[in-house]
């Protein structure tokens, strides 16, 4: 039904924020050190029946300016859902470490994102989109690394993979499935457990809530009460009041509109929690330093909770103050990213891929009850994409929490990040190392150095650098 | 061209003998201990666009008569190219070990073989056959193990995979790719290196030759000289002499026929070398004990080398003495297996899968020069199946010789087996153990105990049993 569809759009939009690092990393000007290239990639690694359209052009960025040619390691970023330039320009730690360790740096773009579209703009139709899978993406990276090493006379150079968020999951999977190619992985903020269906579907919004509660319990209460007031207005169908309080361009007129509004608002808190960096970042305009603190100050700034709630959402949606009103559906449907969200393609690809059943319930979190069950997912995927999710598959194919046979993986997480507890939080062995970054938001450690960095992330980066150096069999061990 | 096609049929026939264990294991009567069942298996693990025909029935055999329910290990045979009953009935070591270690035993049939045909008898058309890949087969086993463990309340029971030849390769790959599911692997006579293109294309027929040379250098010389005589007759187009000497049903009439004859003859030596067991086995009638010795006695039994060569080939092709003449093309094309070779389906599937470029050259071996280059393979695969081989893929996907990140694999090989040196012959680590079986032919260790077993295979089986017991975390360690 339409209501479900719109809800899911909302949900997918939230997720696109959640994972889509490019939306919230600061935008710097193009870094000239990277050269943009294209790799002729195999279209379908798992079916040999592909003489026609056998390859597509996969984009990657490369810089050898730090590389000790033929002996230094290769740092390979396993691109995730978006334009690869955004990851390259917002993962300064990798190039900083490359300068120290003499590494070649490659950022590879994930198939179906950015400019790496196997079937051009037809990539998002059926059946073309069915070659968008994690397995294909990993095989892309395995083939690309193997061939580039040959081309670059780098066969002896160990490859370390890096990734954040879904990109971090891909880095883990590369080390699990291709340790012949990848000597180790730094997986920053990679929720490999929750995405595999391990864990509690309530954890995510609980942890978003906790960030605000830890800032001030009154903040959490104000958010909950504001949502409650909105609920009461909606139940009375006081739509003009709702329009006015939330500065909506059009008055809501249905439960579906209210659902959309609730999703938009919940998403603001989610993104603010994930982006709770100690310095300002650029995302849809500007995000202030310590945005959770700013949000809580806003929630507690005056007697009218609904106004406070609108202004808090404005931290995300109207940071420039340029929007005179909020258009719920254009914000959602069009992905609302000023960089264009891949002309809409990236958000379609991500809608096809993403596969999470998280819920808010107003008991373990401060948000309105909004769930997305496996049944919801099944019907959405069947209706929208004619596909059937297989909930056990990630656990089977990518090991779930049965990781003891693996080695040389760093699982870093920041304790401010609501994704953190969907990942590996405790070391499993001396070479499967969990790092906690106190006061760290979503993959803070991958970002370049900043004067406002907390000590915890400096320590984390040092530990990461030491472990990565140890994985290089060509380096003298200390 | 036709000549290549026929040559390749010859080649494929050879390979079907080489790998197809069921052709040369002794046939015992059906063992009632196994129950035959079918598992609803996912048709395409790597493409979610499959709401129609989403599953097929995959056959497996199971016996719990030795199992310590809920705690004993699960011994899982990763079926290879053929009817699963043949593997179950000719791998007595597995059930003997199950009796000792209290294991549940499962033999799973490989997709596209036996009765596990995803599209029934249409499975071998294009594009249906394209779901016949190693990756799909491994995913079948991973999904099957996971679901059967749930059904059988066996979630705590470690799974050990077993396989011989290509089945042993699958066992290795299961441990590499799914150590979350598989605690260890016994890979008997698994040529994982040569099949991945690592090694020397001349090794295989060199080692076949060595078996006969080690029996008697004169034997090798007699074979070489016999093939040389055949070559001279063929050059003179003395086809009626050739027909008479080789008891062919029809006289050869072309270079293509001679090529076919050479392939048939070379194959006899190959199979005899692989089957050089110390006791008689049943295969197209009866194979004597120590068949290499018998073949050499035959090669040296009289002054006419061509007659000796025919009689040696007869050890394989006419062991019952029932054939009054050899029909080259019916022997090859129809696969010539009295059990039916899967009504021809299994040999078609294997033709699609197999992917080896071995050569004989009459310099490093005793056979006529017969090569199968990558270019030959490319054109054959394109013409016959509309597919394009990817020579690097096995090394990328299944690690080639870069196995150091793996653990808990036994690579057993017999030094009489021409496949042995295409496998792992030296231990890589304390848990990646190579076992050599002196005087052992193709996966002798997987066969049931026999009074004529050499001491070496008894020692190998003991080592294997001890390692497998160690992989069971529920067992007290000695």
């Amino acid at each position: 039904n339409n209501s479900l569809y719109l809800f899911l759009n909302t949900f997918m939009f939230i997720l696109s924020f959640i994972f889509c690092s490019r939306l919230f990393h600061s935008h710097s000007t193009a870094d000239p050190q990277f050269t943009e290239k294209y790799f002729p990639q195999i279209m379908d690694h798992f079916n040999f029946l592909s003489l026609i359209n056998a390859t597509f052009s996969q984009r990657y960025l490369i810089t050898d300016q730090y590389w000790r040619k033929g002996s230094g390691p290769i740092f390979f970023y396993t691109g995730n859902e978006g334009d690869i330039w955004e990851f390259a320009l917002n993962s300064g730690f990798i190039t900083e470490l490359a300068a120290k360790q003499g590494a070649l740096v490659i950022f590879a773009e994930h198939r179906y994102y950015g400019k790496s579209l196997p079937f051009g703009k037809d990539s998002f139709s059926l059946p073309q989109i069915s070659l968008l899978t994690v397995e294909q993406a990993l095989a892309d990276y395995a083939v690309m690394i193997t061939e580039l090493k040959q081309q670059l006379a780098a066969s002896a150079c160990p490859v370390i993979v890096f990734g954040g968020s879904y990109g971090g999951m891909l880095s883990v999977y590369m080390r699990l499935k291709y340790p012949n190619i990848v000597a180790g992985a730094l997986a920053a903020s990679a929720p490999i457990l929750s995405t595999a269906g391990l864990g509690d579907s309530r954890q995510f919004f609980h942890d978003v809530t906790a960030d605000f509660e830890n800032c001030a319990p009154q903040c959490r209460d104000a958010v909950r009460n504001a949502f409650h007031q909105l609920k009461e207005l909606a139940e009375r169908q006081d739509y003009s009041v709702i329009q006015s309080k939330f500065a909506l361009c059009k008055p809501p007129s249905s439960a579906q509109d209210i659902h959309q509004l609730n999703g938009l608002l919940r998403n603001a808190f989610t993104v603010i929690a994930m982006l709770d960096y100690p310095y300002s970042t650029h995302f849809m305009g500007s995000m202030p330093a310590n945005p959770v603190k700013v949000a809580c100050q806003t929630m507690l700034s005056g007697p009218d909770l609904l106004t406070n709630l609108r202004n808090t959402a404005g931290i995300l949606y109207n940071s420039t103050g340029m929007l005179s009103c909020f258009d719920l559906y254009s914000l959602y449907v069009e992905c609302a990213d000023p960089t264009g969200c891949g002309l809409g393609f990236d958000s379609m690809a991500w809608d096809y891929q993403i596969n999470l059943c998280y819920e808010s319930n107003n008991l373990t979190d401060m948000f309105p009850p909004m769930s997305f069950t496996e049944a919801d997912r099944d019907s959405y995927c069947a209706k929208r994409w004619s596909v059937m999710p297989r909930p056990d598959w990630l656990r089977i194919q990518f090991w779930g929490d049965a990781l003891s046979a693996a080695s040389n993986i760093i699982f870093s997480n920041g304790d401010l990040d609501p994704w953190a507890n969907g990942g590996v939080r405790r070391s499993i062995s001396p070479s499967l190392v969990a790092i906690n970054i106190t006061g760290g938001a979503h993959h803070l450690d991958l970002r370049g150095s900043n004067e406002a960095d907390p000590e915890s992330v400096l320590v984390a980066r040092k530990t990461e650098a030491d472990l990565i150096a140890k994985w290089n069999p060509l380096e003298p061990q200390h």
Side-chain angles (χ1 to χ4, degrees), chain A:
Chain A
N1 57 44
N2 276 337
S3 161
L4 176 63
Y5 181 80
L6 288 166
F7 164 62
L8 287 165
N9 269 339
T10 312
F11 179 76
M12 294 305 164
F13 180 66
I14 294 169
L15 290 171
S16 71
F17 276 107
I18 286 167
F19 269 99
C20 201
S21 307
R22 70 205 187 78
L23 295 180
F24 46 79
H25 282 307
S26 65
H27 283 242
S28 52
T29 51
D31 188 333
Q33 74 184 337
F34 285 105
T35 304
E36 181 174 291
K37 295 194 173 184
Y38 285 86
F39 181 83
Q41 186 56 268
I42 292 163
M43 190 81 88
D44 187 348
H45 298 276
F46 304 102
N47 191 319
F48 287 80
L49 196 65
S50 57
L51 287 177
I52 302 164
N53 281 332
T55 63
F56 71 99
S57 290
Q58 182 173 22
R59 185 165 59 165
Y60 67 99
L61 312 177
I62 186 165
T63 177
D64 63 0
Q65 71 180 71
Y66 312 113
W67 192 34
R68 286 197 313 279
K69 282 199 181 154
S71 66
I74 298 171
F75 290 173
F76 187 95
Y77 187 92
T78 54
N80 34 317
E81 69 288 8
D83 184 309
I84 193 60
W85 273 109
E86 302 296 333
F87 301 115
L89 298 176
N90 290 282
S91 303
F93 172 64
I94 296 171
T95 39
E96 289 172 17
L97 189 63
K100 286 179 191 151
Q101 299 192 354
L104 178 71
V105 181
I106 298 171
F107 278 74
E109 189 164 75
H110 193 296
R111 56 166 59 200
Y112 288 83
Y113 294 96
K115 295 193 171 172
S116 299
L117 307 181
F119 302 92
K121 60 185 179 180
D122 297 327
S123 299
F124 306 93
S125 307
L126 294 167
Q128 291 91 321
I129 200 168
S130 67
L131 296 183
L132 172 56
T133 66
V134 173
E135 289 85 357
Q136 299 278 7
L138 299 174
D140 287 344
Y141 298 147
V143 167
M144 183 188 282
I145 292 168
T146 302
E147 293 200 18
L148 291 183
K149 284 182 77 168
Q150 285 171 5
Q151 289 175 22
L152 298 164
S155 60
C157 303
V159 176
I160 310 296
V161 284
F162 294 76
S165 202
Y166 168 53
M169 294 168 57
L170 295 175
S171 291
V172 174
Y173 300 161
M174 282 301 290
R175 177 63 189 165
L176 301 186
K177 293 293 200 177
Y178 297 98
N180 52 320
I181 293 171
V182 161
L186 169 55
S189 303
I192 60 165
L193 303 181
S194 60
T195 49
L198 295 163
D200 188 326
S201 61
R202 301 168 299 185
Q203 167 267 320
F204 186 82
F205 289 111
H206 171 272
D207 287 358
V208 173
T209 299
D211 283 347
F212 294 88
E213 180 178 83
N214 290 338
C215 185
Q218 305 92 313
C219 176
R220 173 206 57 198
D221 296 339
V223 175
R224 178 176 272 132
N225 290 337
F227 274 111
H228 189 73
Q229 289 185 19
L230 170 57
K231 177 170 178 259
E232 290 190 330
L233 287 174
E235 281 170 356
R236 291 201 301 272
Q237 306 198 352
D238 276 348
Y239 289 139
S240 65
V241 176
I242 292 173
Q243 178 185 21
S244 145
K245 292 286 186 190
F246 288 95
L248 302 180
C249 303
K250 295 178 196 161
S253 63
S254 64
Q256 167 187 314
D257 290 352
I258 299 301
H259 194 86
Q260 180 90 345
L261 176 58
N262 274 322
L264 177 146
L265 295 168
R266 186 180 68 171
N267 182 57
F269 291 93
T270 299
V271 176
I272 287 168
M274 287 170 56
L275 294 178
D276 195 22
Y277 299 122
Y279 49 89
S280 68
T281 54
H282 293 279
F283 164 60
M284 295 185 72
S286 295
M287 179 67 76
N290 301 305
V292 166
K293 189 173 158 200
V294 174
C296 281
Q297 287 167 345
T298 307
M299 279 308 301
L300 300 171
S301 59
D304 185 349
L305 285 181
L306 293 180
T307 301
N308 296 346
L309 181 55
R310 178 193 69 205
N311 290 337
T312 302
I315 296 171
L316 174 63
Y317 296 113
N318 195 18
S319 63
T320 63
M322 300 287 281
L323 282 184
S324 59
C325 64
F326 289 163
D327 183 326
L328 290 179
Y329 293 100
S330 72
L331 275 171
Y332 283 123
V333 175
E334 294 181 11
C335 184
D337 176 16
T339 70
C341 220
L343 295 172
F345 289 157
D346 287 359
S347 60
M348 288 174 74
W350 193 235
D351 178 36
Y352 182 79
Q353 280 202 277
I354 190 64
N355 191 334
L356 299 170
C357 294
Y358 293 168
E359 67 162 57
S360 60
N361 54 44
N362 203 245
L363 298 169
T364 53
D365 57 67
M366 64 190 179
F367 300 113
M370 298 172 78
S371 67
F372 184 62
T373 64
E374 292 201 5
D376 295 336
R377 181 171 65 187
D378 286 352
S379 64
Y380 177 72
C381 291
K383 180 184 289 184
R384 175 67 183 87
W385 293 110
S386 299
V387 296
M388 181 77 84
R390 281 185 269 133
D392 296 335
W393 181 239
L394 277 183
R395 285 197 291 281
I396 292 174
Q397 181 74 347
F398 299 114
W399 309 10
D401 57 359
L403 296 167
S404 61
S407 59
N408 293 8
I409 304 175
I410 301 168
F411 303 93
S412 66
N413 282 288
D415 65 359
L416 299 182
D417 183 7
W419 292 101
N421 289 322
V424 175
R425 299 290 273 151
R426 288 188 200 157
S427 295
I428 298 166
S429 74
S431 77
L432 294 172
V433 177
I435 293 178
N436 183 54
I437 302 165
T438 305
H442 202 46
H443 50 68
L444 172 62
D445 48 334
L446 285 189
R447 299 182 65 85
S449 301
N450 188 292
E451 288 183 355
D453 278 333
E455 178 67 16
S456 61
V457 79
L458 304 183
V459 171
R461 289 181 185 136
K462 176 71 168 63
T463 305
E464 291 164 2
D466 291 346
L467 284 166
I468 289 166
K470 262 179 61 182
W471 297 337
N472 184 347
L474 304 176
E475 292 290 310
Q477 299 301 313
H478 308 289

